[in-house]
């Protein structure tokens, strides 16, 4: 039996566009994900978030489920186009939804944890020069974040400025798999820079408002990279893969600079870094209160002279989830140790960890998702090992509370510990939810 610390924060996570639906209600205007998902060929079978889990109307039932599972905290995100449906135009009706949600959570003694930006950029912001490509996006974001702090600042103990900037920049502007679907590496790095800058400016605004009792941080998706062999060239490939996925975001936040090896590599691809202005890195590296870590998988790479990053992914030996991601709990341990050693002694939270598997409702009306239980258990063991060695890990949020709109994969990938029947919107607690409930109750794993 492995015990967790007494105050360990057990939670689950979701995001607005993935669960809410109600895309035209109470003054909300489209986000880039509405546009992207309605563009032919961008999402699996043309799926959109129009209805999703209909959480906008069913939030009370969903909070009831959270209570049933016994979570201490719930991480959700706020939809920017509900709060500012147009540039500079605040929409109190949109804010009311989150006030109702937070009230419901507090009534049930569940700590609200809010992500300010989980990828649903207002379409109006995109229409003004490409969204995050425009340096004004920083100003728009800070106006939005400040409004959230004014209205909900002290009732939300944990604020997360951004979810996975790697995804909202590289995957969205460089690889093109996510909205807005650009494939331009220079743009990807401009977007990443403005997103990081908006993070720093929002932290500054938060500090100036002196919000009592609440803390602010950022969530990064981190993918440890390992060389395929002991060869020096494979080690170099792993160094670049690490720079690409991890250091490009960790270094500016914790060290106040972009990694030099990556600057050199990238400059050959994108030319001048003229979008980095004086003082930007000071802003990006303003002190935060905690780091959110989203961990799903690792990468193994070998040297490839012809690829942009000089690295080519090779499949690892472990089992894979439905996303095709190799399961590697020991890499979570390596990652946490490395963060502690090289970057920060601040509190860390695993703000997302979980897996998509082929879930089916069986004749007994249940979902026997043993693989997910195994996945979560092994990752919790890795987390516990880190804590046992003195690591400052304060909580763990399963991705996700319930099955939802998995971006470009539509509804074809199920990450939930609660099953959603999209025809009827019926929720069924999977075996993993029942198991997680016991873990929380006992504050330990077997
Ligand atoms: S795609 C992605 N996700 C999933 C999404 O549903 C959620 O909104 C995100 O926060 C599940 O959790 C995050 N993250 C991208 C992770 C990149 C992993 C890279 C694998 C490379 C082999």
């Amino acid at each position: 039996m492995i015990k967790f610390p007494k105050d360990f924060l057990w939670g689950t996570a979701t995001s607005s566009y993935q669960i809410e639906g109600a895309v035209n209600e109470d003054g909300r205007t489209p986000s880039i994900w509405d546009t992207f998902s309605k563009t032919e060929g961008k999402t699996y079978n043309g799926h959109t978030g129009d209805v999703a889990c209909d959480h906008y109307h069913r939030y009370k039932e969903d909070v009831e489920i959270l209570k049933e599972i016994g979570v201490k905290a719930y991480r959700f995100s706020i939809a920017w186009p509900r709060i500012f449906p147009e540039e500079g135009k605040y929409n109190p009706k949109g804010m009311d939804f989150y006030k109702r949600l937070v009230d419901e959570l507090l009534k049930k003694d569940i700590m609200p944890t809010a992500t300010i930006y989980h990828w649903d950029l207002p379409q109006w912001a995109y229409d003004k020069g490409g969204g995050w490509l425009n340096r004004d996006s920083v100003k728009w974001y800070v106006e939005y974040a400040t409004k959230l702090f004014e209205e909900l600042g002290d009732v939300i103990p944990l604020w997360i400025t951004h979810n996975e900037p790697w995804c909202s920049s590289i995957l969205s502007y460089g690889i093109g798999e996510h909205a807005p679907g650009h494939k331009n590496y220079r743009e990807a790095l401009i977007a990443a820079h403005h997103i990081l800058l908006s993070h720093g400016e929002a932290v500054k605004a938060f500090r100036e408002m002196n919000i009592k009792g609440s803390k602010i941080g950022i969530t990064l998706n981190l993918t440890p990279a390992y060389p395929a062999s002991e060869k020096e060239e494979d080690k170099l490939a792993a160094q670049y893969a690490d720079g690409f996925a991890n250091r490009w975001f960790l270094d500016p936040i914790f060290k106040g600079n972009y990694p030099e090896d990556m600057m050199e590599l990238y400059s050959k691809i994108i030319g001048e870094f003229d979008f980095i202005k004086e003082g930007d890195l000071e802003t990006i590296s303003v002190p935060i209160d905690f780091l959110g870590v989203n961990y799903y998988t690792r990468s193994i790479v070998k040297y490839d002279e012809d690829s942009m990053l000089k690295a080519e992914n090779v499949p690892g030996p472990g089992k894979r989830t439905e996303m095709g991601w190799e399961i590697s709990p020991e890499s979570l341990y390596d990652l946490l140790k490395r963060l502690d050693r090289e970057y920060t002694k601040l509190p860390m939270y695993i703000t997302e960890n979980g897996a998509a598997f082929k879930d089916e409702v069986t004749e007994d009306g249940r979902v026997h998702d043993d693989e997910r239980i195994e996945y979560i258990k092994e990752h919790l063991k890795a987390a516990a090992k880190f804590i046992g060695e003195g690591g400052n890990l304060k909580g763990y949020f399963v991705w996700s509370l319930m099955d939802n709109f998995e971006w470009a994969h539509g509804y074809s990938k199920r990450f939930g510990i609660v099953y959603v029947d999209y025809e009827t919107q019926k929720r069924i607690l999977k075996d993993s939810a029942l198991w997680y409930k016991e873990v929380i109750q006992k504050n330990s794993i077997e």
Side-chain angles (χ1 to χ4, degrees):
M1 188 131 107
I2 304 170
K3 268 259 163 224
F4 281 81
K6 218 172 67 225
D7 56 351
F8 196 71
L9 200 62
W10 297 102
T12 61
T14 62
S15 89
S16 46
Y17 189 71
Q18 294 183 272
I19 64 165
E20 285 177 358
V23 291
N24 296 317
E25 269 169 71
D26 294 332
R28 181 189 183 276
T29 55
S31 74
I32 54 172
W33 268 99
D34 294 85
T35 311
F36 188 73
S37 63
K38 285 169 189 159
T39 307
E40 213 191 311
K42 298 298 183 192
T43 64
Y44 174 84
N45 279 353
H47 289 174
T48 74
D50 279 1
V51 180
C53 310
D54 196 31
H55 170 76
Y56 196 79
H57 300 116
R58 294 168 195 263
Y59 69 96
K60 282 194 181 167
E61 182 193 339
D62 292 336
V63 174
E64 194 53 56
I65 292 171
L66 286 166
K67 188 71 202 166
E68 165 67 27
I69 300 171
V71 298
K72 312 270 181 244
Y74 172 55
R75 173 176 176 239
F76 59 94
S77 81
I78 297 175
W80 184 349
R82 291 195 194 280
I83 310 299
F84 279 95
E86 288 172 40
E87 185 183 356
K89 190 178 152 220
Y90 170 54
N91 176 34
K93 267 192 150 176
M95 186 74 86
D96 283 348
F97 169 68
Y98 299 101
K99 288 186 176 167
R100 293 198 296 276
L101 172 64
V102 167
D103 280 350
E104 205 60 28
L105 290 165
L106 294 176
K107 256 200 273 178
K108 300 221 151 57
D109 220 13
I110 298 167
M111 183 204 279
T113 301
T115 307
I116 297 172
Y117 184 72
H118 198 128
W119 312 350
D120 40 3
L121 184 78
Q123 183 63 37
W124 63 254
Y126 178 77
D127 293 340
K128 293 174 203 284
W132 292 112
L133 299 179
N134 184 342
R135 198 172 160 101
D136 284 349
S137 57
V138 177
K139 186 182 76 187
W140 303 326
Y141 174 88
V142 173
E143 184 184 15
Y144 160 54
T146 303
K147 198 68 189 170
L148 298 182
F149 301 151
E150 276 167 19
E151 298 291 322
L152 291 165
D154 55 349
V155 289
I156 295 187
L158 294 178
W159 284 98
I160 294 167
T161 54
H162 280 272
N163 179 68
E164 305 191 345
W166 182 87
C167 291
S168 41
S169 57
I170 312 282
L171 197 57
S172 303
Y173 286 87
I175 299 170
E177 192 182 311
H178 279 190
H182 293 201
K183 291 183 183 164
N184 179 314
Y185 220 72
R186 181 174 169 79
E187 289 189 358
L189 295 185
I190 294 174
H193 184 67
H194 291 153
I195 288 169
L196 287 169
L197 191 58
S198 76
H199 153 79
E201 290 291 1
V203 174
K204 280 194 198 164
F206 183 83
R207 300 286 184 229
E208 274 164 25
M209 292 170 74
N210 197 18
I211 298 161
K212 294 272 177 311
S214 294
K215 303 210 178 302
I216 192 160
I218 187 167
T219 280
L220 303 178
N221 59 304
L222 299 170
T223 311
Y226 299 82
S229 80
E230 286 301 307
K231 278 192 236 156
E232 284 310 313
E233 57 174 26
D234 288 346
K235 287 187 190 162
L236 183 64
Q239 178 189 318
Y240 285 142
D242 174 50
F244 172 71
N246 309 317
R247 286 184 288 121
W248 194 257
F249 298 90
L250 284 165
D251 283 21
I253 291 169
F254 289 106
K255 300 182 173 170
N257 52 50
Y258 285 112
E260 261 172 42
D261 56 337
M262 299 311 290
M263 291 279 280
E264 207 183 307
L265 183 74
Y266 285 157
S267 65
K268 291 180 198 135
I269 304 158
I270 72 149
E272 293 285 307
F273 282 91
D274 46 8
F275 48 87
I276 305 176
K277 308 284 182 210
E278 215 187 311
D280 285 1
L281 281 146
E282 282 75 23
T283 299
I284 294 171
S285 58
V286 289
I288 51 178
D289 300 317
F290 65 89
L291 173 67
V293 177
N294 288 0
Y295 173 79
Y296 290 95
T297 190
R298 65 167 169 178
S299 70
I300 301 176
V301 291
K302 68 173 186 200
Y303 189 78
D304 176 8
E305 178 59 38
D306 300 328
S307 93
M308 182 182 85
L309 286 169
K310 307 288 170 216
E312 187 198 332
N313 277 302
V314 300
K319 281 195 221 147
R320 282 164 197 281
T321 70
E322 271 294 291
M323 297 294 284
W325 297 343
E326 189 200 3
I327 303 174
S328 177
E330 51 296 340
S331 307
L332 170 62
Y333 170 77
D334 290 354
L335 169 65
L336 293 170
K337 288 300 264 189
R338 189 248 185 133
L339 291 170
D340 172 86
R341 200 171 53 237
E342 292 178 30
Y343 287 99
T344 185
K345 302 286 180 204
L346 283 174
M348 291 193 272
Y349 294 87
I350 295 174
T351 40
E352 286 181 27
N353 175 242
F357 289 110
K358 268 208 176 77
D359 298 317
E360 275 166 31
V361 184
T362 45
E363 268 177 15
D364 56 3
R366 296 183 40 185
V367 180
H368 301 298
D369 58 338
D370 299 346
E371 288 173 302
R372 183 172 292 103
I373 295 177
E374 184 67 14
Y375 181 100
I376 299 175
K377 191 196 277 177
E378 291 307 312
H379 286 79
L380 283 175
K381 276 193 206 163
K385 187 171 169 203
F386 173 68
I387 297 169
E389 292 169 2
N392 199 6
L393 182 71
K394 294 291 189 194
Y396 175 93
F397 295 72
V398 174
W399 183 272
S400 174
L401 167 63
M402 55 188 156
D403 297 336
N404 58 50
F405 175 74
E406 182 47 46
W407 307 112
H409 298 278
Y411 299 96
S412 70
K413 304 284 182 238
R414 293 181 177 271
F415 269 94
I417 56 172
V418 173
Y419 184 90
V420 177
D421 177 337
Y422 295 109
E423 296 290 313
T424 60
Q425 291 295 348
K426 189 173 165 214
R427 278 80 160 128
I428 301 170
L429 271 70
K430 300 180 192 175
D431 286 358
S432 57
L434 303 172
W435 173 83
Y436 194 48
K437 176 179 176 162
E438 237 184 271
V439 170
I440 298 171
Q441 258 169 13
K442 295 188 179 147
N443 203 36
S444 63
I445 45 172
E446 297 286 329

